[in-house]
Amino acid sequence: MKSLVAMLVVFIGCCSNVFFLELLIKEDSGSGNLITFAQFVVIAVEGFITTMRFGTKKTEVPFTEYLKMVLMFFIVSVTNNYALSFNIALPLHMIFRAGSLLANMILGILILKKRYTTMKYLSVIMISIGISICTIASAKELNHSESENQISSVGDFVWWIVGILLLTFALFMSARMGIMQEVMYSKFGKHPREALFFTHALPLPGFLLLFGDISKHIQIANMSAPLDSTVISVIPFLNTLPRIWIYLLGNVFTQSICINAVFVLTTECSSLAVTLVVTLRKFVSLLFSIWYFQNPFTALHWFGTILVFGGTLVFSDIPNLMRQKSKVN
């Protein structure tokens, strides 16, 4: 029963998080650093209270090990959200992040000297082709679209390319961080709650470097209009709050729910179930973004998306795991 509740909360929390993120980007496309900062503060405070017990709990992993990860995690998080400022539509953003297996495999071969089965190589080829197709389709669509992400000049197209390069950089940096975590866990055991706290708390001073940008978007948030009268009539006190702050509150709250639900899921379910739920959740978020926000999505986008998510499932070897599980039962 607990695992079913966790699955349900993963879908509700994580999909709601993407919903609030898109609302924020629609209002202020350059608010990525503000969003990242708010998420880090909330998760760090929560971790300090619940995981570290106000600093009284002894760490399971040496503090110096976390320091190695912090800079990398900070750069990945800021880069991912900052890329949205460069004409990157959220569906393309989600597809890119779903292609993390590609970067993981490449770095696993280069750094850890790993070798994979033919099916895993095939899956990564599928993911690579899928991401390439979606990127090319987005470039074509943005030239003709009337959406907020429209490319109207050569200069804008160059900035869109910068956004793609930022996403690619973040993808490989995230994979490198994953390998670092893998090595760390093999030495000291798995302590995900503790790692979650330190990777969000230690980078907070780094946001001083982004103070100018964050303060600028705080001013934009303060000047944003309140929610429309339909919502205000249901919850009257909201008429005094700028809508960006309401969206940001919803984003950081659902981010916390999403992360905690995934953590519970990993402790209650098999890796097969976790892989299925997380992959399906990403796909549902993508579909919702396309439908609700009317984001451009062509036949090429669909083809590329199927390759990306299909490749993810093939990489996870889910059919084989299901067969083995049925034999055991």
Side-chain angles (χ1 to χ4, degrees):
M1 184 66 183
K2 193 174 180 180
S3 60
L4 289 175
V5 172
M7 288 181 191
L8 181 63
V9 174
V10 166
F11 271 92
I12 295 173
C14 299
C15 290
S16 299
N17 180 252
V18 174
F19 171 72
F20 282 111
L21 176 61
E22 182 119 29
L23 287 174
L24 282 165
I25 298 305
K26 294 286 184 184
E27 290 289 328
D28 179 13
S29 62
S31 59
N33 289 330
L34 174 61
I35 296 168
T36 308
F37 175 66
Q39 290 174 346
F40 272 52
V41 168
V42 170
I43 293 171
V45 170
E46 181 198 9
F48 183 71
I49 296 170
T50 60
T51 303
M52 303 311 296
R53 300 169 195 163
F54 296 94
T56 60
K57 183 179 179 294
K58 186 180 178 181
T59 59
E60 302 291 339
V61 178
F63 185 72
T64 52
E65 292 294 323
Y66 287 123
L67 286 176
K68 296 175 185 177
M69 290 175 53
V70 163
L71 179 61
M72 198 170 290
F73 183 69
F74 175 74
I75 292 172
V76 168
S77 299
V78 170
T79 304
N80 266 323
N81 281 338
Y82 192 53
L84 292 167
S85 305
F86 293 88
N87 295 315
I88 301 294
L90 200 59
L92 180 60
H93 191 273
M94 285 188 279
I95 291 166
F96 247 87
R97 296 185 71 175
S100 57
L101 289 175
L102 164 65
N104 278 317
M105 175 177 276
I106 292 173
L107 293 187
I109 293 169
L110 294 176
I111 297 172
L112 299 179
K113 308 301 180 185
K114 286 187 174 181
R115 291 295 176 265
Y116 299 90
T117 63
T118 303
M119 287 301 291
K120 290 191 183 296
Y121 286 119
L122 175 63
S123 70
V124 168
I125 291 171
M126 289 172 63
I127 292 169
S128 305
I129 295 173
I131 291 175
S132 300
I133 288 173
C134 287
T135 304
I136 293 167
S138 295
K140 290 180 178 178
E141 187 65 28
L142 286 168
N143 280 318
H144 306 290
S145 172
E146 295 179 356
S147 71
E148 292 180 9
N149 296 96
Q150 181 177 0
I151 292 179
S152 55
S153 68
V154 174
D156 289 337
F157 181 76
V158 170
W159 285 120
W160 180 79
I161 293 294
V162 171
I164 294 296
L165 292 174
L166 285 173
L167 285 178
T168 305
F169 171 76
L171 193 67
F172 280 89
M173 280 287 284
S174 179
R176 181 65 185 92
M177 188 178 70
I179 290 174
M180 192 179 291
Q181 281 180 313
E182 189 178 328
V183 173
M184 186 179 76
Y185 287 156
S186 66
K187 287 182 180 178
F188 305 102
K190 293 184 178 181
H191 305 283
R193 288 275 193 178
E194 185 178 284
L196 185 68
F197 165 70
F198 279 109
T199 52
H200 285 80
L202 294 181
L204 287 177
F207 284 100
L208 290 172
L209 300 172
L210 305 171
F211 176 78
D213 182 72
I214 292 172
S215 60
K216 171 188 171 183
H217 290 283
I218 286 175
Q219 292 174 11
I220 293 173
N222 289 336
M223 292 186 293
S224 63
L227 294 175
D228 60 53
S229 56
T230 309
V231 179
I232 292 172
S233 62
V234 179
I235 313 175
F237 76 89
L238 292 181
N239 63 357
T240 61
L241 293 174
R243 66 173 64 193
I244 287 182
W245 286 118
I246 296 171
Y247 296 158
L248 186 61
L249 180 65
N251 179 265
V252 296
F253 177 68
T254 53
Q255 173 82 350
S256 179
I257 291 174
C258 176
I259 287 175
N260 281 285
V262 171
F263 169 77
V264 172
L265 200 64
T266 57
T267 60
E268 295 292 324
C269 301
S270 66
S271 58
L272 166 64
V274 173
T275 302
L276 274 172
V277 170
V278 171
T279 303
L280 287 173
R281 194 280 302 167
K282 288 178 181 178
F283 195 64
V284 169
S285 294
L286 180 66
L287 294 178
F288 183 81
S289 175
I290 296 162
W291 168 72
Y292 187 85
F293 293 101
Q294 298 297 299
N295 283 308
F297 218 73
T298 64
L300 270 180
H301 283 101
W302 281 115
F303 182 55
T305 301
I306 290 169
L307 284 174
V308 170
F309 284 97
T312 302
L313 293 176
V314 171
F315 186 94
S316 304
D317 204 15
I318 285 174
N320 186 43
L321 289 172
M322 291 179 73
R323 282 194 297 270
Q324 290 177 0
K325 192 172 183 180
S326 63
K327 286 179 182 179
V328 173
N329 295 335

